[in-house]
Amino acid sequence: MGQVVRTHSPRLPAATRPRLLTALLAVAVLTGTTAASCGDEKSPVALAQVGRSAVTEVIDAPATVTARAAATLTAPADGTLASLRVQPGQPVRRGQVLAVISSPSAQDRLEQAREALRAAKRACRGVATGDLG
């Protein structure tokens, strides 16, 4: 008797079938959507004539701004700023009070000067003052 030879079936293994089915389904969907986009529907893209117009665009970028001119405000007294009497950019005139500085050391010096003036006035009371003119 002859020998029986086994041949493999042309069927795919069970593990490969879902992958093949998914791939065929993806090809069908892509083909369908591509064909649907080739229809006579209006595209969201519009054509227009070329011309000049104003363009408003906001650009957010880091930068450095340098003033054309600068002024340094100094005070002859030490202390802290108690009040500012002008606003930035406001025009000022000569002699106008721009700011008030609170200075405890200046207040102490003022009180010492007043005490010295009072002492000098007391000392002068006993001295006759004449007309020097």
Side-chain angles (χ1 to χ4, degrees), residues 119-132:
K121 283 183 179 181
R122 282 192 304 266
C124 286
R125 283 191 188 148
V127 177
T129 55
D131 187 10
L132 299 176

Side-chain angles (χ1 to χ4, degrees), residues 76-80 82 100-115 118:
D78 59 340
T80 58
V100 176
I101 297 174
S102 173
S103 175
S105 62
Q107 289 293 331
D108 292 342
R109 290 192 303 270
L110 178 62
E111 188 55 42
Q112 290 170 0
R114 285 181 179 157
E115 183 61 38
R118 284 191 291 269

Side-chain angles (χ1 to χ4, degrees), residues 39-83:
D40 290 335
E41 289 184 21
K42 287 200 170 198
S43 172
V45 176
L47 299 178
Q49 292 293 324
V50 176
R52 290 182 179 255
S53 67
V55 176
T56 303
E57 185 176 352
V58 176
I59 299 174
D60 185 16
T64 302
V65 178
T66 305
R68 290 185 190 162
T72 303
L73 178 64
T74 60
D78 59 340
T80 58
L81 187 63
S83 68

Side-chain angles (χ1 to χ4, degrees), residues 27-39:
V27 168
V29 168
L30 288 174
T31 304
T33 55
T34 303
S37 68
C38 293

